[in-house]
Amino acid sequence: MSAVVDQPYAYQRVELTEPDWRRIPGWSEVTTAEWESAQWQRAHCVKNLRQLREVLGAGLDEAFLADLDRDQRERATMSMLVPPQMLNTMAASDAPGQPGFTEAFYADPVRRYMIPVFSDRRTDWPSHPYASRDSLHEAEMWAVEGLTHRYPTKVLAEVLPTCPQYCGHCTRMDLVGNPTASAGKLKFGLPPADRLAAMIDYLRATPGVRDVVVSGGDVANLPWPRLEAFVGALLDVDSVRDIRLATKALMGLPQHWLADDVRAGMERLGAKARERGANIAIHTHVNAAQSVTPLVARAAQAMLDTGIRDVRNQGVLLRGVNDSASALLDLCFTLLDGAGIMPYYFYMCDMIPGSEHWRLSLAEAQELQHQIMGYLPGFATPRVVCDVPYVGKRWVHQVSRYDADLGISYWTKNYRTGVEAEDPLALSREYAYYDPIYLLPQRGQAWWRARVAGGLQLVENA
């Protein structure tokens, strides 16, 4: 009999728990029925400093609130919107008013990306010089307003510009949410009904597309009758075979997906998809294991029970949140064992303004991919990917070449995007992606400082 071998990561199944929301002063009288109501959750989202102070009471130091206020005034690209469900998972072992609560709140992984503060961010390089508001250039590739046709057989349908919760690192910060003091927002021009109809018309006329990601924003914010009608219309397009509904709200507002009307509607869509030989899946966005609670597991199971194909997770690699193999594996096993959610992707954080403190280098991402291999089932081992501007998703080891001193990686692709239809060099050109400058050796940092001094403008939140 072989001896037990010590491994770098030790698997241990963890039972899910719903933190007691009544430990929080503002919710001490909230009943279970209220907590499990999507309407109550939406009505009690925390949208500003005043509401955060009211909910957490005097247990959160004024220094934290001042730190948050400065970030909202100077750096934040997303307005504040945190559902009670998400706030309740932050510093869940502590209660406001207990010694050390503010320190625990500062250190909390979910807080770090949902409620960023000024002291989180870099002061030397808060933004990369090549950061941009639409870092993936999705709007440039709109076939019709809101419909990005970047890949040959796949499109992204941005059906609305709002979410039930706003993540600080949002890759669509140029479109999604309210304007902040430092970032305006792109506005759709067409009325919603006309925009969605134009998407359907384009897909009917473009039979090479078989896969539609329905996103925004978050589909949980689209009134259910409108979402069901749109997905039903997608299923009527003969060439469409895969539909993915993108919703962080499966984690941030699971109460929405547990509502009777949503479950009944998903059953109707699931049945229609099966009749057509098509598939519907839900893609959610969980970055930390603590976010997976029994309510999230119930919502995921409720969706699987409707007959859809799968519920999958697309996380984002974020420093201070999940930038270790143990954090990623804890999350993956919690998703699989606790909620039946399939780990799918971990994206490198996109190059939006103000994101340098979150972003990892390509070398760090490659090492994380190496470290998580071999523990999970092959079908549930997530791919770590870099979403390269003008290229698309690439596994981090697909890089063509990599200058680690200057923090520049070069990538190629095997298809043209919508803006390159007539470009003869699209399939041979190398496209660049950039590491955070503060992580580079001194030679690389000096090179970038000289570039900026020579006229390369540092993008803040413009």
Side-chain angles (χ1 to χ4, degrees), residues 374-393:
Y375 289 95
L376 292 150
F379 61 83
T381 300
R383 298 169 180 169
V384 179
V385 296
C386 182
D387 208 341
V388 183
Y390 292 117
V391 175
K393 289 183 288 294

Side-chain angles (χ1 to χ4, degrees), residues 160-240:
L160 79 170
T162 65
C163 298
Q165 65 284 303
Y166 291 142
C167 309
H169 65 279
C170 181
T171 190
R172 298 201 177 99
M173 53 78 56
D174 192 40
L175 173 71
V176 172
N178 303 312
T180 69
S182 57
K185 301 290 175 173
L186 179 67
K187 299 294 184 183
F188 286 132
L190 292 173
D194 293 345
R195 188 170 65 253
L196 299 186
M199 293 179 185
I200 297 297
D201 288 343
Y202 176 82
L203 292 171
R204 290 191 184 114
T206 314
V209 174
R210 65 172 303 285
D211 184 349
V212 182
V213 178
V214 185
S215 183
D218 190 312
V219 298
N221 264 22
L222 198 65
W224 179 260
R226 191 180 304 169
L227 179 61
E228 184 173 355
F230 180 70
V231 176
L234 290 176
L235 289 169
D236 289 334
V237 178
D238 184 63
S239 59
V240 172

Side-chain angles (χ1 to χ4, degrees), residues 161-404:
T162 65
C163 298
Q165 65 284 303
Y166 291 142
C167 309
H169 65 279
C170 181
T171 190
R172 298 201 177 99
M173 53 78 56
D174 192 40
L175 173 71
V176 172
N178 303 312
T180 69
S182 57
K185 301 290 175 173
L186 179 67
K187 299 294 184 183
F188 286 132
L190 292 173
D194 293 345
R195 188 170 65 253
L196 299 186
M199 293 179 185
I200 297 297
D201 288 343
Y202 176 82
L203 292 171
R204 290 191 184 114
T206 314
V209 174
R210 65 172 303 285
D211 184 349
V212 182
V213 178
V214 185
S215 183
D218 190 312
V219 298
N221 264 22
L222 198 65
W224 179 260
R226 191 180 304 169
L227 179 61
E228 184 173 355
F230 180 70
V231 176
L234 290 176
L235 289 169
D236 289 334
V237 178
D238 184 63
S239 59
V240 172
R241 294 291 156 176
D242 276 296
I243 298 171
R244 294 177 268 170
L245 305 181
T247 174
K248 187 184 182 75
L250 189 76
M251 176 273 284
L253 191 70
Q255 294 86 349
H256 169 83
W257 294 99
L258 286 166
D260 290 342
D261 61 330
V262 174
R263 295 167 74 166
M266 285 296 294
E267 287 180 354
R268 291 189 291 270
L269 290 174
K272 183 172 183 177
R274 290 192 299 276
E275 291 171 4
R276 275 220 45 235
N279 294 301
I280 296 176
I282 287 178
H283 282 200
T284 193
H285 175 188
V286 187
N287 291 324
Q290 69 198 64
S291 297
V292 185
T293 73
L295 272 171
V296 174
R298 281 173 51 192
Q301 188 58 56
M303 290 300 97
L304 292 170
D305 289 345
T306 66
I308 66 171
R309 174 169 181 168
D310 209 348
V311 178
R312 309 181 185 116
N313 185 63
Q314 298 185 155
V316 175
L317 294 180
L318 298 167
R319 194 174 305 280
V321 177
N322 54 21
D323 55 334
S324 69
S326 60
L328 294 181
L329 289 168
D330 284 349
L331 171 55
C332 290
F333 282 120
T334 302
L335 289 166
L336 273 175
D337 297 345
I341 297 174
M342 184 72 67
Y344 181 39
Y345 280 143
F346 281 114
Y347 288 85
M348 296 181 68
C349 182
D350 290 317
M351 291 178 54
I352 60 165
S355 66
E356 292 305 272
H357 67 294
W358 282 309
R359 295 203 306 122
L360 275 62
S361 70
L362 176 65
E364 289 176 305
Q366 290 174 332
E367 179 61 20
L368 285 172
Q369 180 74 86
H370 172 74
Q371 290 176 342
I372 66 174
M373 299 300 291
Y375 289 95
L376 292 150
F379 61 83
T381 300
R383 298 169 180 169
V384 179
V385 296
C386 182
D387 208 341
V388 183
Y390 292 117
V391 175
K393 289 183 288 294
R394 285 291 182 267
W395 303 348
V396 290
H397 287 88
Q398 282 185 285
V399 62
S400 176
R401 58 191 178 98
Y402 183 23
D403 185 333

